[in-house]
Amino acid sequence: MIRLTKIELDGVKNIRHGALDLGTLDNGGSITGIYGQNGSGKTSVIEAIQVLRHLMAGGSLVGDQTGILVSKNEGNHSATLSTKIQIEEDDGTTYTAVYTAVLEPCDTGLHVAHETLAMKPKDGRLHTLVDYEMAKDAETGLLTPRVTPSGAWNSLTALQHGDELLRQEAALAYSQNRSLLFSPEFTTQFTRISATLHAQNTLPSIRQTALERNLDPLLDLIEKLSRFARDGIRVVTTRQGASVCFGYTPFIHGGRFDILDLERPRFVPSQIQHEIERMVEQANLVLPVVIPGLTLKCEMKEDVGDNGEAGARVFLYSLRNCVQIPFWAESEGIRRIVGILSLLVRMFNETDTCIAIDEIDSGIFEVLLGDILRTLAQRGRGQLIFTAHNLRVLEVLDHKSIVFSTSDPNSRFVPVTNVRAGNNLRDMYIRMVNIGTDGAQLADKVKPSHVAAALADAGKVTGKAGDEG
């Protein structure tokens, strides 16, 4: 069993510092909803979880959308992402992995400049397994890896040209915008070293200690976190969710996010064909319950792709009260529900699942959304982290499941406190936005008179000379 329990951000977009405590394994399934004004860092949390998934899955942080994650104001040139992930073994042993990554923007995306991986037993002290950073050599000016605790790692890298291979892989990982610690080459090399040491009858004490306290726990932890990232973490960002506005529906298969073009039959390879069939089957079990009378119909015709790959042409219809229409003609809310439904099914049934969805309320009827989230909170086995603006959810979820963002960039997130039995959290939130709470301002004040004056001034703008309108 595994669960993301805390995420801490520094220098991420407009967040100088922000920390969110999430649910633990002790509480069964968990839901965390993040509420706040526009531009207060909610989306940054979802994007940070996506970056975390890429790092731990061994992916590269490339592209414009990763580079903008780092705030470049006030002399800041890096972002720090720190997470706590609770793990419970089959024998009941529980411990927490603490992973921290320092990210620096570059022309291609984000460099991973510094990583730390530590673990803390339930009732023990935090123990750093490895602390790695790319440091500039004082003599050559070249970037070289510096790994601590130095005594332990020097004793390990002395074997099988480990020091040279570590330098090579560190330089390659840095240039390719990916993690060194979660690199398959790093794992392969040090698994070899571990096997060599275990095959020896006697070892120097420093090497034996390094093997038992650093290398073996590190390899085991990397394997667990990599599997969690690949198989358990799924993210839907605002950009991806907005695809429904343009005649698409979100569709997640394996570890990839994809979209289905709903306006025409689309060719999909056979492995994705089976995923779509599963998505439709799941939808037809849940949709009639939440939207009475609604089901999906999937028309598939066997075909061959341009590259000769076997597959099918897929087209979706919706059926309601014996009326069949193309699925693209359905409302945005229904298309969005279908797009995220498979993820909510996973969260409800699977413990080792972390689903993160930005603006989960977009286009969805607020009463229906409240009912779905309440059911997931009460009976779901996995983890759901979402952002929203619709305040209906505040009336149906426990206050411990809600985090408020603030207008303070130095303390972007605050838990909900001082809630008594019978309090309506929605009313409390509106009141706190207006008057503040415990010194934290949840939203910037907006005066209607100032809005009216600004709109009036905007109406006087005539544009360039000669322009009409």
Side-chain angles (χ1 to χ4, degrees), residues 75-246:
N76 182 63
H77 299 291
S78 66
T80 301
L81 167 61
S82 183
T83 59
K84 291 183 178 180
I85 300 173
Q86 189 180 10
I87 301 171
E88 182 177 322
E89 302 284 8
D90 292 339
D91 62 3
T93 303
T94 302
Y95 56 93
T96 298
V98 182
Y99 174 62
T100 300
V102 177
L103 311 172
E104 297 177 346
C106 62
D107 292 340
T108 56
L110 291 174
H111 285 316
V112 184
H114 189 179
E115 294 179 279
T116 302
L117 190 53
M119 61 185 300
K120 181 184 180 301
K122 188 173 184 178
D123 298 316
R125 298 175 60 184
L126 184 69
H127 172 56
T128 299
L129 301 174
V130 62
D131 186 325
Y132 144 79
E133 68 174 323
M134 291 297 286
K136 183 173 290 188
D137 186 276
E139 296 181 1
T140 65
L142 299 176
L143 289 171
T144 58
R146 183 168 59 201
V147 184
T148 57
S150 56
W153 284 97
N154 288 341
S155 71
L156 296 170
T157 56
L159 297 169
Q160 300 181 359
H161 306 288
D163 187 47
E164 179 182 351
L165 292 171
L166 178 64
R167 283 198 302 271
Q168 292 174 357
E169 180 54 28
L172 187 61
Y174 185 82
S175 66
Q176 294 180 346
N177 300 22
R178 55 183 174 82
S179 163
L180 169 66
L181 301 186
F182 292 97
S183 160
E185 290 77 9
F186 178 91
T187 301
T188 298
Q189 175 61 26
F190 281 96
T191 298
R192 249 188 237 116
I193 291 175
S194 174
T196 298
L197 294 177
H198 279 289
Q200 298 179 17
N201 294 326
T202 59
L203 292 173
S205 60
I206 187 171
R207 191 166 286 172
Q208 182 71 40
T209 301
L211 176 66
E212 295 176 353
R213 285 183 51 79
N214 293 86
L215 183 54
D216 283 351
L218 176 66
L219 293 173
D220 181 67
L221 197 55
I222 287 173
E223 191 276 330
K224 287 182 171 65
L225 295 181
S226 296
R227 186 172 65 246
F228 176 51
R230 291 191 308 268
D231 302 337
I233 300 178
R234 295 292 181 267
V235 179
V236 179
T237 65
T238 303
R239 178 182 293 265
Q240 295 163 338
S243 61
V244 297
C245 300
F246 302 97

Side-chain angles (χ1 to χ4, degrees), residues 321-366:
N321 300 325
C322 300
V323 177
Q324 175 177 298
I325 64 172
F327 188 56
W328 60 260
E330 276 292 359
S331 70
E332 176 185 331
I334 288 178
R335 298 202 307 271
R336 183 168 171 82
I337 289 173
V338 170
I340 64 174
L341 193 55
S342 62
L343 298 181
L344 301 184
V345 169
R346 285 197 60 185
M347 182 273 168
F348 186 83
N349 291 282
E350 301 175 21
T351 302
D352 297 344
T353 298
C354 176
I355 307 299
I357 302 176
D358 199 16
E359 296 190 6
I360 196 173
D361 55 336
S362 177
I364 300 178
F365 180 40
E366 62 177 353

Side-chain angles (χ1 to χ4, degrees), residues 264-333:
R264 61 185 64 84
R266 174 187 171 180
F267 174 81
V268 297
S270 57
Q271 66 271 23
I272 297 181
Q273 176 184 347
H274 300 318
E275 289 290 333
I276 294 174
E277 290 172 339
R278 182 173 65 88
M279 178 187 77
V280 171
E281 184 177 354
Q282 288 179 332
N284 285 337
L285 291 170
V286 181
L287 275 179
V289 177
V290 298
I291 306 174
L294 178 65
T295 58
L296 292 185
K297 176 184 175 182
C298 182
E299 184 178 273
M300 286 194 177
K301 295 182 179 180
E302 299 297 322
D303 201 353
V304 177
D306 295 337
N307 60 357
E309 185 178 12
R313 295 280 167 185
V314 177
F315 194 69
L316 297 180
Y317 297 90
S318 69
L319 294 170
R320 191 186 312 190
N321 300 325
C322 300
V323 177
Q324 175 177 298
I325 64 172
F327 188 56
W328 60 260
E330 276 292 359
S331 70
E332 176 185 331

Side-chain angles (χ1 to χ4, degrees), residues 17 35 37 403-418 428-445:
H17 175 77
Y35 277 79
Q37 68 174 350
V403 172
F404 292 148
S405 62
T406 76
S407 59
D408 182 2
N410 295 305
S411 182
R412 272 297 183 194
F413 309 103
V414 294
V416 181
T417 58
N418 300 322
M428 287 182 61
Y429 178 66
I430 294 174
R431 185 167 61 252
M432 288 187 291
V433 166
N434 291 325
I435 66 174
T437 174
D438 297 330
Q441 186 172 321
L442 299 185
D444 296 316
K445 296 292 190 296

